[in-house]
Amino acid sequence: MKNPASASMTISGIRSLECSNCGKLYSHETIQTFATCCNVPLNAIYDLPFRDAQFINTALQTMWRYQPVLPVLNETNIVSLEEGFTPVSQLNKLSMHLGIHEIWLKDDAKNPTGSFKARGLSMGVSKAKELGIKKMVIPTAGNAGGALSAYCAKAEIEATVIMPRHTAETLKEECRMYGANLILLDGLIDTCGKMARSIAAETGAFDMSTMKEPYRLEGKKTLGYEIAEQFNWLLPDIIIYPAGGGTGLIGIWKAFKELLSMNLIKGILPKMVLVQSDQCSPMVHLFQEGKLPDSYAPQSSAAYGLAVPYPFATQMMLTVLRESNGIALTVSEKEMEDGIQQIAKAEGQLLSPEGAATFMAAKKLLQSQFIKEADKVLLVNTGSWYKYR
Ligand SMILES: Cc1ncc(COP(=O)(O)O)c(C=O)c1O
Ligand SMILES: [Zn+2]
């Protein structure tokens, strides 16, 4: 059984927030959204004096084991449903089948509310509680809405969730079950985002849109800390991540940079791979062509989380790809569906379409020789198949 987060007595080392473009500082002691100086996300910066892994509270089997490098100042404000510290396991049959030395799976479907969104929303809602926020609104492709609803229920914060109407019933119903006010719209998450902004302006609700507040990223960052710890500080060669708004990709990389500055990891960092659906792949266009094509016409995807037509943190995602010598690629809807079945039949694990996309990306990258047979490859499964019904 996991221990409650409140068992820990450590203190946050957060120093400030800074503009991810020009470095202008913003206070972490007042409510912040994004860096209005450059219209980009804010980054939390920390005092990182640790030189060994002693700062980790190993008594906690949750993401809160890393509390000194997380932004919550007073642990009584932590709103936890025991998120994080999810398992990594080796996919032996699939690696033998493909001829890749080692394929590993970080299974974030094992989080509360069945997706990795629990990390970001646990952190975002905890900071909201700490800063006295009483009402929140979120545009979502599905999973983030459920997670916000659950953490707001626990924190007694009023939640409004705006979701595309075509989303699976389970993803809608969980928001209602947690007591959120659910609004359904025709369109994709960008349409929902516009409504979130007007609701925030009209009602004073805090807008939790991806990367438009600084703390969901800090929750997602714990994925990177866990990967480093679970791989015994020797990181895999390649990490494949299914990106929509990009919080997980940027968060994992932020964790690695923090760990490097503490000398806790050494050597070459993993190449970061960003995978999207060919129905909606702004980041792949930006990575490959430097701009969105004139014919850009983003569509919905069975991988709801990947249908983010205009992400806010494009520069930060491109920086991760550039700094890590990574790559961006698409998979088709059919490939994702095939991937779900192949992984289920070989490994007994049913991944979300987003998770299955990472496996199909690995196959393609082996063919193109970006992945070498000797590589150690980590796939990130971000959600549970069971929610997509
Ligand atoms: C299951 C799943 N995978 C991936 C994503 C994309 O996440 P991010 O915004 O961190 O890129 C989402 C977002 O909704 C999701 O629900
Ligand atoms: Zn700036």
Side-chain angles (χ1 to χ4, degrees):
M1 202 175 132
K2 294 181 177 185
N3 298 319
S6 57
S8 145
M9 283 306 291
T10 42
I11 298 164
S12 170
I14 188 167
R15 195 183 332 141
S16 188
L17 299 169
E18 68 173 14
C19 169
S20 58
N21 183 49
C22 75
K24 180 180 171 190
L25 296 181
Y26 289 70
S27 169
H28 64 281
E29 287 167 332
T30 53
I31 297 173
Q32 301 290 352
T33 54
F34 53 92
T36 45
C37 48
C38 300
N39 196 31
V40 293
L42 284 167
N43 257 329
I45 49 174
Y46 294 82
D47 290 319
L48 298 169
F50 314 107
R51 288 295 167 267
D52 58 36
Q54 297 286 322
F55 75 93
I56 301 171
N57 182 351
T58 52
L60 297 180
Q61 303 294 305
T62 72
M63 68 178 195
W64 297 99
R65 65 204 269 114
Y66 307 109
Q67 206 188 330
V69 295
L70 300 177
V72 175
L73 302 179
N74 184 333
E75 65 183 6
T76 60
N77 291 319
I78 292 176
V79 185
S80 176
L81 296 165
E82 304 194 343
E83 47 290 317
F85 217 57
T86 54
V88 280
S89 62
Q90 223 173 329
L91 303 179
N92 287 322
K93 277 163 80 182
L94 289 177
S95 42
M96 261 172 23
H97 176 68
L98 286 195
I100 297 178
H101 183 50
E102 289 179 32
I103 304 182
W104 293 80
L105 183 73
K106 174 76 172 159
D107 193 4
D108 249 31
K110 302 254 159 56
N111 272 306
T113 72
S115 91
F116 76 145
K117 296 286 174 182
R119 296 177 187 269
L121 274 312
S122 174
M123 192 65 68
V125 171
S126 297
K127 281 304 290 181
K129 182 177 168 195
E130 187 153 88
L131 292 162
I133 290 169
K134 300 278 183 253
K135 264 190 224 175
M136 305 180 107
V137 58
I138 195 167
T140 178
N143 282 310
L148 181 83
S149 305
Y151 288 99
C152 278
K154 182 141 193 199
E156 297 181 35
I157 291 175
E158 193 183 315
T160 299
V161 176
I162 312 169
M163 196 183 288
R165 199 182 307 281
H166 64 259
T167 314
E169 279 312 308
T170 310
L171 285 157
K172 296 176 190 164
E173 192 55 20
E174 74 168 337
C175 300
R176 298 189 190 104
M177 294 298 286
Y178 292 125
N181 169 30
L182 178 68
I183 299 172
L184 301 174
L185 287 188
D186 295 321
L188 296 175
I189 194 171
D190 55 321
T191 313
C192 301
K194 284 182 196 135
M195 178 172 255
R197 283 195 286 285
S198 61
I199 290 180
E202 275 162 32
T203 68
F206 184 77
D207 185 352
M208 284 291 270
S209 294
T210 304
M211 299 300 283
K212 292 217 170 147
E213 61 74 53
Y215 300 116
R216 287 175 64 185
L217 177 63
E218 294 303 295
K220 293 280 186 77
K221 179 180 87 176
T222 58
L223 260 170
Y225 276 87
E226 287 173 26
I227 291 167
E229 191 184 351
Q230 289 169 320
F231 280 90
N232 209 11
W233 314 106
L234 278 173
L235 296 175
D237 300 300
I238 297 188
I239 297 179
I240 310 185
Y241 179 84
T247 0
L249 183 90
I250 299 163
I252 292 171
W253 195 245
K254 185 171 191 282
F256 293 165
K257 305 264 292 266
E258 290 176 4
L259 285 164
L260 261 187
S261 80
M262 295 187 270
N263 254 338
L264 276 167
I265 50 174
K266 293 189 181 64
I268 301 170
L269 295 184
K271 293 184 176 130
M272 301 297 292
V273 175
L274 180 159
V275 56
Q276 298 198 301
S277 159
D278 65 5
Q279 295 284 99
C280 180
S281 53
M283 292 315 302
V284 181
H285 288 299
L286 291 175
F287 179 76
Q288 291 177 351
E289 299 141 38
K291 64 180 178 60
L292 297 177
D294 295 339
S295 59
Y296 185 58
Q299 303 292 315
S300 63
S301 167
Y304 302 118
L306 306 189
V308 181
Y310 303 100
F312 186 52
T314 51
Q315 284 314 317
M316 292 172 93
M317 281 192 262
L318 291 172
T319 300
V320 173
L321 297 179
R322 196 187 58 244
E323 288 183 354
S324 73
N325 290 314
I327 200 166
L329 77 165
T330 59
V331 295
S332 69
E333 297 290 297
K334 167 88 170 58
E335 284 171 324
M336 278 190 268
E337 188 49 46
D338 290 350
I340 294 173
Q341 296 198 20
Q342 286 169 28
I343 301 160
K345 293 195 170 109
E347 302 285 353
Q349 302 203 46
L350 267 170
L351 272 49
S352 61
E354 293 86 345
T358 65
F359 172 63
M360 296 315 264
K363 274 190 163 184
K364 288 184 154 180
L365 292 173
L366 182 68
Q367 262 166 19
S368 70
Q369 299 192 337
F370 180 89
I371 294 180
K372 310 276 183 275
E373 284 177 11
D375 280 337
K376 188 190 276 195
V377 177
L378 177 67
L379 313 179
V380 183
N381 179 36
T382 45
S384 165
W385 178 86
Y386 294 94
K387 293 182 77 180
Y388 290 64
R389 309 289 107 195

